[in-house]
Every structure is written in C-alpha cells, then in structure tokens.
Amino acid sequence: MPELPEVETSMRGIAPFVEKQKIRNITVRDDRLRWPVPVKDLNRLSGNVVHKLERRAKYILMHTELGAILLHLGMSGSVRVIEPDSDRVIEKHDHIDFEFYNDVLIRFNDPRRFGCCLFIKPPLEQHKLLGSLGPEPLSDAFDGDYLHQRTRGKTAPIKNVIMDGHVVVGVGNIYASESLFEAGIRPITQAGKISKQRLTKLVDEIKAVLAKAIEAGGTTLNDFTQADGKPGYFRHELQVYGRSGESCYRCGSTLKSMVLGQRNTFYCGNCQR
DNA sequence: AGTATCTCCTGCGTGC
DNA sequence: TGCACGCAGGAGATAC
C-alpha cells in the first residue's frame, strides 16, 4: 500500500501526539513482521522521550535518546492514533501498541506483515537499511542532472529505475505510472536512452505528483487509512493507475497495462512515447 | 555492477 | 455458499 505520500501522511498524523512525549509502554502482540520485532530493545524504551519524528524514504523514524524506532508500513500497514477515552478494542493484525504518558496510543496494524518495526542505534545513517538510500524525491538533490547521470548506460526500463530506492526513494508502483504519464514517457523505455531534457521533465512530474498526493492525504485503493482513520483522496486524481481498458482523460485512447518488474504498469500508448 | 526473478503474508474480488 | 485462483501499494535476497 503505502508509498511516500501515504507514509508522510501517516507520520504527520501521529507527530502532534507523539513528539516530546514520554513512552509509557510498548506492547508487541505479534513479533512476526518482515523481520522479528526486537521486543527486548523496545521494552527498554519505556520512560524515554520521543523527541522527534522523521520520514526517510518510506521509513518512519521515532527518535529517542537511545536510538530510533524504525517503522515501515510494507504493503498493507497503517498506524493510527487512539486518543484517551476512546475505544481500544483490539482488532485483527493490531500487532504493536506504542503507549505514551499523555494517554495516547499509536497502534500499528499490518495484515500482510511485510512491514517492519526495528530499533536502530546511532549512527543511524550507517544502518544497513538507511545507508544506501538514494535522495529524497522532493529534495533539491533530486534533479534532472542527477537522474541523467544515474541512468546513463542503464538498459532497464525507466519505470524500474525510478522505483529503485538506491536511485531515488519513495516512488512506488502507483506514482511511478502516474509520473511517467505526466511526463509523456513510456514506462518500458530504456532509462539510458532518455534525453536529459525529458528526464528533467520526469523529475518535475515526480515531484508534482508526490506533492499533490501528500496534499490529498495519499491514495486509498483498498485499505489505506490516515492516522485519523480517514481514507486518502488522491485516488480521484489518478490518471492511469488501475485504469487499463478505460479512456485516457487527455486524448481518449484506451489505456493499456503491462507487467514490468513483476508489477502491473499502466500507460497511454498515445500520450506516452 | 546491472538486471531479472523470487520471496515473504493475508485479504479480496472473480469466476465457476 | 463454497472454493480455487490471481492479484495487491514494498523491497531485500539471490542468481546469473
């Protein structure tokens, strides 16, 4: 499920309830996520303050004095805020609770268990998961020059390249299709053969699509919810994703789909060359 | 190094 | 109503 906009939305949703708050207790009901949840490390955090939340790539980092809790929502994960005095009924796949002294509960739910919850010690940037990440797509470091340089000699389809977190982080399957449509580039085009001018356009569209999606609170297809339980509204903005067989809003052609890197990919054969 | 394929897991929609 | 099947937003591991 969650791509960068959904992770950003989730982090913004929980930040006001969590930042500068002291952890009372962390309850792990099921430690079988992508990697085993380090229950002992998390238990040692009781009494520590989460001084800051940060999103890096699709990770949410909860910074404490001892190190950071690293959350990833995988394909089906969510975090939600449970405020004091509200219903605390535990539902299926509610794997972890982060309880704070302000009586707020942050609940991590992940049906498919592709997500993770780890504890990492400083220096954080040297952690294996964070060490080799590409730049943030919304940062100035990600520009046409950079993408041009990183794609030279590559024969892989451009869609696979922009979804590779070592090149640029946070561009998942939905927004890869969407930004390639906006840039007028066919997803299967060999990355190394695309001109700097067109790659610059692609960079601009990736930034624009992600920014718009964040503004809309992410994309809800089946199960994504924001931290307050509401869906994201970017689904209504999707131009090509999930629309094969339907008409292109721009030219009226029938949209197509193909599989690239095991992932379904949507495009307009007329608007994208 | 670059590329392609496999893998983890549950839930949902579809078609018989 | 039941069941088999295919597919799903991620991304590290593995095998060339």
Side-chain angles (χ1 to χ4, degrees), chain A residues 6 29 37 47 54 60 97 109 132 142 155 200-201 212 217 227 231 267:
Chain A
E6 292 73 30
R29 287 185 205 84
V37 178
E54 181 193 9
I60 294 173
D97 280 351
N109 178 292
S132 60
F142 182 58
T155 58
T200 301
K201 168 80 170 159
K212 273 178 70 177
Y267 66 101

Side-chain angles (χ1 to χ4, degrees), chain A residues 56-168:
Chain A
R56 175 71 177 107
K58 293 173 188 165
Y59 299 107
I60 294 173
L61 296 171
M62 300 172 65
H63 294 284
T64 76
E65 295 98 298
L66 297 178
I69 300 166
L70 178 149
L71 289 177
H72 195 295
L73 304 179
M75 296 256 270
S76 57
S78 64
V79 283
R80 59 174 305 165
V81 175
I82 300 180
E83 298 193 58
D85 303 323
S86 56
D87 188 1
R88 296 195 168 188
V89 174
I90 295 160
E91 299 190 14
K92 208 172 177 186
H93 310 303
D94 281 341
H95 304 315
I96 306 174
D97 280 351
F98 301 89
E99 191 183 354
F100 294 86
Y101 275 97
N102 60 358
D103 292 328
V104 165
L105 209 63
I106 301 299
R107 188 162 277 174
F108 176 90
N109 178 292
D110 185 8
R112 287 173 73 179
R113 291 193 270 122
F114 284 7
C116 68
C117 173
L118 299 175
F119 177 71
I120 62 176
K121 290 173 189 154
L124 306 182
E125 60 276 9
Q126 283 181 22
H127 189 272
K128 196 177 173 188
L129 293 176
L130 302 178
S132 60
L133 293 176
E136 288 288 327
L138 295 171
S139 72
D140 292 340
F142 182 58
D143 62 12
D145 283 340
Y146 169 81
L147 189 58
H148 183 253
Q149 172 250 316
R150 286 301 303 268
T151 49
R152 291 313 88 186
K154 280 194 195 288
T155 58
I158 183 64
K159 182 189 179 234
N160 300 22
V161 174
I162 60 174
M163 287 181 67
D164 180 350
H166 304 290
V167 175
V168 58

Side-chain angles (χ1 to χ4, degrees), chain A residues 144 179 182-185 195-207:
Chain A
S179 49
E182 298 292 351
I185 299 170
S195 70
K196 188 192 276 193
Q197 188 186 351
R198 300 187 80 205
L199 290 171
T200 301
K201 168 80 170 159
L202 176 57
V203 165
D204 291 345
E205 295 300 343
I206 289 172
K207 290 175 191 279

